[in-house]
């Protein structure tokens, strides 16, 4: 038989009436039971288990002195909670529940005792903000993690983190309030290459060194540096191709996917548009059972953008944009704006301006929630919408939309 509370308030009062230590022990018992019962389903119940372990660490000992056995038990629960919170946060990020990932990894950081644990949790939090297009926050956390790596004397971790920091800057320059300085990124790369002790980390750093050309002056929309890139594009291509070969030799699927993305971008800078579109289409068609929703959404968006801007295939661009938007969900405003751009651009060129205005409302709501005006796809949304409003004779509304850009 089962017992249920007639009202959630009764449940909350009953729960609060339990001594904190009793609640903590109950949560620990439930967590351990779930762990044992769900060995093959930890990916499904991981967050629930992590929540129980987290609550088990919040119980205290109700003012009674802890003996050695109690301290050992408490440390065991803390260690288990830290491990489960880290894994659950990774699962949340993979399914694009970024706020939840940040919550779980923040809990993990609060439980960290050693420098190594603080490094793990800080790197995980940086990855969450990276996925959410919080460029400045993610960069600050990656830098903090680099300091922690130096403190624990982990050259491998420092090299890995410098690669992640550099890739964030070259892959998502629009996520920053001000486009990153390419000279600073080049410095990260050289520092990382001096530390890297394995092919994987060297591959990531070579990838960053090849892709950094987009941050120099002249490679719009993000090339806003004070000087042009003095390194030939052919050299940048060789670095990215070397990274791609390293990924295939590994194999390192995550590195391969990003190297293909960078190669696609460099083909565009070199005017090799057919090669660029072919790579983008291959990325959409490539079986990727473990790819995150973010990656799949972005692959569709990039192909849509190329088909709109280069091939003039507006109907196909519209369909791909809608698929990208469906995958993007509503958790990350920046990604909502990324996915809405091909929809709005296609509808504009197709003359469906009233339909475009529906998408514009969503774009404007997202931009107010997470303004990142360095990003082409963020700032062009209001411009496209305002252009449609002018064509519809609604000029006063167009002016108010453009004002969003400052």
């Amino acid at each position: 038989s089962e017992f249920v509370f007639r009202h959630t308030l009764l449940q909350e009062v009953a729960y609060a009436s339990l001594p904190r230590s009793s609640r903590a022990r109950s949560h620990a018992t439930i967590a351990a039971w779930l762990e044992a019962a769900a060995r093959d389903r930890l990916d499904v119940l991981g967050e629930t288990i992590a929540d129980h372990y987290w609550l088990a660490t919040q119980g205290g000992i109700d003012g009674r002195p802890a003996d050695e056995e109690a301290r050992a038990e408490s440390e065991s629960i803390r260690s288990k909670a830290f491990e489960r919170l880290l894994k659950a946060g990774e699962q949340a990020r993979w399914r694009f529940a970024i706020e939840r990932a940040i919550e779980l990894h923040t809990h993990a950081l609060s439980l960290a005792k050693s420098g190594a644990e603080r490094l793990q949790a800080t790197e995980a939090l940086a990855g969450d903000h990276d996925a959410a297009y919080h460029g400045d926050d993610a960069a600050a956390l990656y830098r903090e993690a680099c300091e922690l790596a130096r403190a624990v004397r982990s050259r491998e971790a420092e090299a890995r983190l410098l690669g992640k920091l550099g890739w964030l800057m070259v892959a998502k320059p629009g996520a920053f309030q001000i486009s990153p300085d390419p000279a600073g990124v080049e410095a990260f790369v050289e520092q990382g290459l001096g530390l890297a002790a394995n092919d994987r980390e060297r591959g990531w750093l070579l990838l960053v060194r090849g892709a950094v050309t987009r941050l120099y002056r002249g490679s719009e929309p993000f090339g806003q540096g004070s000087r042009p890139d003095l390194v030939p594009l052919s050299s940048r291509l060789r670095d990215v191709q070397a990274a791609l070969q390293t990924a295939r030799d590994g194999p390192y699927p995550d590195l391969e996917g990003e190297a293909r993305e960078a190669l696609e971008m460099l083909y565009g800078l070199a005017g090799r548009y057919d090669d660029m579109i072919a790579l983008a289409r291959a990325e959409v068609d490539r079986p990727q059972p473990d790819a995150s929703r973010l990656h799949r959404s972005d692959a569709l968006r990039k192909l849509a953008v190329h088909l709109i801007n280069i091939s003039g295939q507006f109907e196909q661009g519209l369909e791909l944009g809608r698929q990208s938007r469906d995958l993007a969900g509503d958790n990350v405003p920046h990604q909502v704006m990324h996915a809405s751009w091909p929809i709005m651009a296609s509808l504009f060129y197709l003359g469906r301006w009233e339909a475009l205005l529906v998408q514009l409302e969503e774009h404007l709501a997202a931009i107010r929630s997470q303004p990142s005006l360095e990003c082409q796809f963020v700032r062009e949304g209001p411009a496209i919408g305002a252009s449609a409003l002018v064509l519809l004779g609604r000029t006063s509304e167009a002016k108010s939309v453009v004002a969003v850009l400052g």
Side-chain angles (χ1 to χ4, degrees):
S1 61
E2 295 181 356
F3 297 91
V4 295
F5 289 96
R6 291 185 177 179
H7 198 285
T8 55
L9 284 176
L10 291 174
Q11 182 180 6
E12 290 171 8
V13 170
Y15 180 81
S17 69
L18 293 171
R20 290 178 62 201
S21 58
S22 297
R23 295 202 303 261
R25 282 193 294 272
S26 295
H27 282 297
T29 300
I30 293 168
W33 181 84
L34 284 172
E35 223 171 11
R39 290 175 185 170
D40 299 328
R41 299 177 60 221
L42 290 178
D43 57 333
V44 177
L45 295 175
E47 288 183 39
T48 301
I49 293 169
D51 285 335
H52 279 295
Y53 272 125
W54 163 248
L55 291 169
T57 67
Q58 305 303 297
I61 53 174
D62 294 335
R64 290 176 286 120
D67 56 24
E68 186 173 341
E69 182 180 352
R71 285 193 295 271
E73 181 183 9
S74 177
E75 171 55 24
S76 175
I77 292 171
R78 184 208 67 82
S79 178
K80 203 69 167 171
F82 179 80
E83 174 189 343
R84 286 299 172 200
L85 285 163
L86 278 183
K87 290 181 178 177
E90 290 171 5
Q91 290 168 350
R93 187 200 305 156
W94 183 86
R95 62 184 175 83
F96 219 27
I98 304 298
E99 290 185 10
R100 177 64 165 148
I102 290 173
E103 176 191 12
L104 292 162
H105 286 149
T106 299
H107 288 336
L109 182 59
S110 73
L111 295 179
K113 289 181 70 174
S114 67
E117 285 185 343
R118 284 191 289 276
L119 169 58
Q120 281 183 280
T122 303
E123 182 175 357
L125 264 176
D128 299 335
H129 286 283
D130 188 334
Y133 289 85
H134 302 158
D136 295 293
D137 291 336
L141 285 163
Y142 279 135
R143 287 191 176 96
E144 184 179 338
C146 283
E147 292 292 336
L148 289 166
R150 280 191 283 274
V152 300
R153 299 183 178 181
S154 175
R155 293 168 62 90
E156 179 181 350
E158 188 177 355
R160 179 181 70 249
L161 287 160
L162 287 166
K164 287 185 175 183
L165 176 58
W167 181 244
L168 164 68
M169 291 180 168
V170 300
K172 301 174 181 174
F176 291 82
Q177 291 300 312
I178 299 174
S179 190
D181 174 24
V185 177
E186 302 247 38
F188 297 149
V189 170
E190 293 311 309
Q191 185 181 352
L193 287 172
L195 295 166
N198 59 63
D199 289 342
R200 178 185 175 84
E201 303 315 330
R202 276 192 292 270
W204 275 105
L205 290 158
L206 287 175
L207 173 60
V208 174
R209 192 169 72 183
V212 74
T213 189
R214 78 182 306 195
L215 299 180
Y216 283 96
R217 190 178 70 203
S219 58
E220 293 296 338
F222 299 115
Q224 299 173 21
S226 60
R227 62 184 188 277
D229 188 2
L230 299 179
V231 176
L233 186 57
S234 58
S235 179
R236 300 298 192 188
L237 274 165
R238 281 196 297 273
D239 278 339
V240 172
Q241 287 164 341
L244 182 57
Q245 190 58 54
T246 295
R248 288 169 174 165
D249 291 343
Y252 308 122
D254 55 342
L255 175 58
E256 181 176 355
E258 305 294 15
R260 290 163 65 93
E261 176 183 330
L263 192 59
E264 178 188 325
M265 181 265 294
L266 291 183
Y267 281 160
L269 293 179
R272 296 169 57 176
Y273 300 123
D274 288 343
D275 291 333
M276 181 177 70
I277 291 174
L279 262 182
R281 195 178 295 281
E283 188 64 20
V284 167
D285 294 340
R286 188 163 62 102
Q288 300 180 72
D290 297 326
S292 68
R293 286 177 57 179
L294 169 61
H295 180 86
R296 288 179 286 142
S297 173
D298 232 26
L300 289 161
R301 175 188 65 84
K302 287 169 185 171
L303 178 56
V305 169
H306 298 334
L307 294 178
I308 293 165
N309 285 338
I310 296 168
S311 306
Q313 295 177 256
F314 305 127
E315 290 287 3
Q316 190 172 356
L318 177 60
E319 176 57 29
L320 290 168
R322 285 172 170 160
Q323 291 177 33
S324 173
R325 178 63 191 89
D326 288 344
L327 281 170
D330 299 314
N331 292 329
V332 178
H334 198 121
Q335 186 62 11
V336 169
M337 291 182 279
H338 268 193
S340 69
W341 186 95
I343 299 173
M344 294 174 67
S346 294
L347 290 171
F348 180 83
Y349 288 119
L350 291 167
R352 302 174 194 169
W353 301 323
E354 292 288 354
L356 185 159
L357 298 182
V358 175
Q359 191 65 47
L360 175 64
E361 287 302 314
E362 181 179 67
H363 192 98
L364 292 174
I367 204 172
R368 293 186 190 103
S369 174
Q370 188 180 341
S372 299
L373 295 182
E374 283 296 310
C375 178
Q376 169 195 7
F377 301 104
V378 171
R379 68 174 182 255
E380 286 189 4
I384 295 170
S387 299
L389 285 166
V390 169
L391 290 167
L392 289 166
R394 296 157 63 177
T395 53
S396 59
E397 292 177 66
K399 289 177 182 178
S400 64
V401 169
V402 171
V404 172
L405 298 175

